[in-house]
Amino acid sequence: MAILRILLLGLVLIGVASCGGNSKFKSYNGPEVTRLVVLKGERKLRLYHGRKVLEEYDIGLGFQPRGHKIYEGDGRTPEGHYYINRRNPNSKYHLSLGISYPDVNDVQVARATGRRPGGDIFIHGRGKFYERGRGSDWTAGCIAVTDREIEQIYAMVRDGTPITIYP
């Protein structure tokens, strides 16, 4: 009887150990994400494989959500065609994927106003620094999802994936 209990306990411990813990780094073996689309007006981020929507997320935007980002500090989320150009596994917003803003046109527009275009536009989670009650549009120009959602997006999306951000 004691041997049976020891074996049972061992199986339980093996089962618990195989659960994998709470790693923020997930794996993904589904269809390739071929593009991302942000619909600012609808507060949606869609991940596509070809014409098929693989996932859709509710998002938060910059604290000034209307209009294209013109200069650093304006609180707007850019609009246009970009691509995912980097990832930050140590983001203060849990995980983040960089967006290739600014492009050449963005730099010219900002300089015409006598300002810098800014940068560091990401799709990111909330992380430790998110404060409840800030509303849905709380970033400095980034695209925000929950921490659980950015874990999934981070696993699914590769560097170089195009992203189009619509008004």
Side-chain angles (χ1 to χ4, degrees), residues 56-100:
E56 181 177 273
Y57 304 93
D58 293 327
I59 59 171
L61 300 169
F63 61 85
Q64 295 291 336
R66 291 189 181 178
H68 176 60
K69 183 166 198 59
I70 299 172
Y71 57 86
E72 184 174 47
D74 66 7
R76 293 187 177 121
T77 301
E79 297 170 356
H81 302 288
Y82 301 96
Y83 60 93
I84 301 301
N85 66 350
R86 63 199 183 280
R87 52 190 57 235
N88 183 355
N90 301 310
S91 171
K92 70 180 182 177
Y93 298 106
H94 195 57
L95 292 170
S96 60
L97 295 173
I99 297 173
S100 62

Side-chain angles (χ1 to χ4, degrees), residues 10-84:
L11 287 173
V12 168
L13 290 174
I14 290 171
V16 170
S18 67
C19 287
N22 292 327
S23 174
K24 64 183 178 179
F25 301 104
K26 308 299 180 200
S27 60
Y28 175 71
N29 295 318
E32 176 187 7
V33 175
T34 57
R35 67 187 170 111
L36 294 88
V37 172
V38 172
L39 304 169
K40 287 174 59 175
E42 296 178 32
R43 303 300 191 279
K44 298 288 184 188
L45 166 63
R46 293 183 182 146
L47 279 58
Y48 285 85
H49 174 76
R51 293 179 180 226
K52 181 182 179 195
V53 176
L54 298 174
E55 295 290 340
E56 181 177 273
Y57 304 93
D58 293 327
I59 59 171
L61 300 169
F63 61 85
Q64 295 291 336
R66 291 189 181 178
H68 176 60
K69 183 166 198 59
I70 299 172
Y71 57 86
E72 184 174 47
D74 66 7
R76 293 187 177 121
T77 301
E79 297 170 356
H81 302 288
Y82 301 96
Y83 60 93
I84 301 301

Side-chain angles (χ1 to χ4, degrees), residues 122-137:
F122 288 87
I123 300 169
H124 62 66
R126 293 180 177 166
K128 299 176 200 169
F129 296 93
Y130 175 75
E131 298 172 20
R132 295 205 183 280
R134 293 173 81 178
S136 61
D137 296 326

